[in-house]
Amino acid sequence: MLLIGLVVLGFFVTLIGWPILLVLGFLAFNPKTRAGLRTAGATWLTAIDRPQ
């Protein structure tokens, strides 16, 4: 029963997951998205590095 549940869960994750990866791939090549992510990442890393 557990094996059947895992197979069904894997099927649905695969069915839903690949379109999400496709959209994320297009977003990764968008210059505005990359700039926003770079700014957010730099802000986060600066906050971590700041002494408390």
Side-chain angles (χ1 to χ4, degrees):
M1 188 73 169
L2 179 63
L3 182 60
I4 292 171
L6 288 174
V7 169
V8 170
L9 180 65
F11 175 74
F12 283 118
V13 167
T14 303
L15 188 68
I16 295 170
W18 78 265
I20 292 172
L21 290 176
L22 183 68
V23 169
L24 288 177
F26 279 111
L27 288 176
F29 289 112
N30 185 341
K32 287 184 179 180
T33 304
R34 281 198 328 258
L37 290 173
R38 188 175 25 244
T39 303
T43 304
W44 181 69
L45 289 173
T46 304
I48 289 175
D49 192 39
R50 185 175 302 140
Q52 295 182 5

